[in-house]
Amino acid sequence: MFDTSDQQGCYGALSRYPNLGDTLAKLTQTTGNGSGRVINLQNGTWRIGRHSANDFMIDHPSVSLFHAEFKVREIGVSFQDIGSTNGSFLNSERFVHGMIGDRQVLKLGVIEFLVEIPQSIIQPIRAPTIEQKHANFLNDGTPACQNHPEQQAEHRCSKCEETFCDQCVRRTGLVGRASLVFCPSCSGKCGSELSKDSRKNKKSLLARIAHALYLTRQKNR
């Protein structure tokens, strides 16, 4: 049921009106015999009109027996005129259905109310920060260690494809046998000879560029 009182002040735990508990909206009557009366709206559906069967009764001939309905939720307050004779108005504009806002003036017949709706503080949910991994290279294009960007990488992980220098990887194996090399980030198996492959690929790339320049010069002759 509507909570009707003469209490002036605040309402809504997450709002500018912190002292009225579960109240989510407030209507203060500003005209008529009941001027100054406060209606505290809580979560739910409420009817207002001239008949005593309403949740809140307004004893004025301009107000219909069953004039309007409020639907109050934590996300806002919606209003519905339910076929009144003299109509409903929001900020002097004819109003049948929609959301009502803070500091607006709602008129039922000729009876006016000041609407006050708490402004909830919504904290956005922040996505967890994910550390971005980027490929590192030395100035000459040789792959660099993920942890030591100034050092040439010797190993590439077959799982996460990150590159590491020899001092970063983890090794295991029997004495006298070739050791297995594992990634320090994901524990995937690492391949070696990365630096040799890099130099080979680098040389191959330079050879292709030189060959392309040679063909261009031959064509322009």
Side-chain angles (χ1 to χ4, degrees), residues 14-84:
L14 295 178
S15 71
R16 299 187 316 236
Y17 315 105
N19 299 323
L20 292 184
D22 296 330
T23 299
L24 298 178
K26 182 171 72 171
L27 305 177
T28 301
Q29 187 174 334
T30 57
T31 60
N33 292 333
S35 181
R37 180 166 41 179
V38 176
I39 302 172
N40 296 316
L41 300 177
Q42 299 180 348
N43 188 66
T45 300
W46 314 101
R47 284 197 170 188
I48 188 169
R50 198 170 75 247
H51 198 281
S52 61
N54 287 283
D55 297 296
F56 180 70
M57 185 178 71
I58 304 177
D59 188 15
H60 192 278
S62 70
V63 177
S64 295
L65 291 175
F66 297 93
H67 196 106
E69 181 179 84
F70 296 92
K71 290 186 178 180
V72 184
R73 301 292 185 269
E74 291 183 355
I75 60 173
V77 179
S78 68
F79 174 88
Q80 175 71 60
D81 186 296
I82 51 178
S84 67

Side-chain angles (χ1 to χ4, degrees), residues 133-202:
K133 295 288 187 179
H134 303 282
N136 294 324
F137 296 93
L138 300 178
N139 292 332
D140 63 357
T142 302
C145 175
Q146 187 70 48
N147 297 329
H148 305 96
E150 74 285 353
Q151 294 190 28
Q152 181 175 319
E154 303 288 339
H155 309 273
R156 184 190 301 277
C157 176
S158 59
K159 185 177 179 181
C160 68
E161 297 188 350
E162 293 181 4
T163 56
F164 299 95
C165 64
D166 200 55
Q167 63 179 334
C168 287
V169 296
R170 294 186 289 108
R171 297 178 180 272
T172 184
L174 298 175
V175 177
R177 301 280 186 90
S179 61
L180 298 176
V181 182
F182 295 94
C183 174
S185 293
C186 70
S187 298
K189 189 176 180 180
C190 290
S192 56
E193 304 298 326
L194 178 61
S195 58
K196 293 182 179 179
D197 292 339
S198 299
R199 287 194 294 270
K200 181 179 178 181
N201 292 335
K202 180 182 176 182

Side-chain angles (χ1 to χ4, degrees), residues 7-9 11 16-17 24-31 34-41 48 56 58 70 77 89-91 100-108 110-118:
Q7 180 178 5
Q8 303 292 326
Y11 63 93
R16 299 187 316 236
Y17 315 105
L24 298 178
K26 182 171 72 171
L27 305 177
T28 301
Q29 187 174 334
T30 57
T31 60
S35 181
R37 180 166 41 179
V38 176
I39 302 172
N40 296 316
L41 300 177
I48 188 169
F56 180 70
I58 304 177
F70 296 92
V77 179
F89 301 83
L90 188 67
N91 291 345
I100 58 177
D102 187 44
R103 309 305 298 177
Q104 292 184 320
V105 176
L106 178 67
K107 184 166 71 171
L108 308 179
V110 299
I111 303 300
E112 293 186 352
F113 297 87
L114 175 64
V115 180
E116 293 179 90
I117 297 177

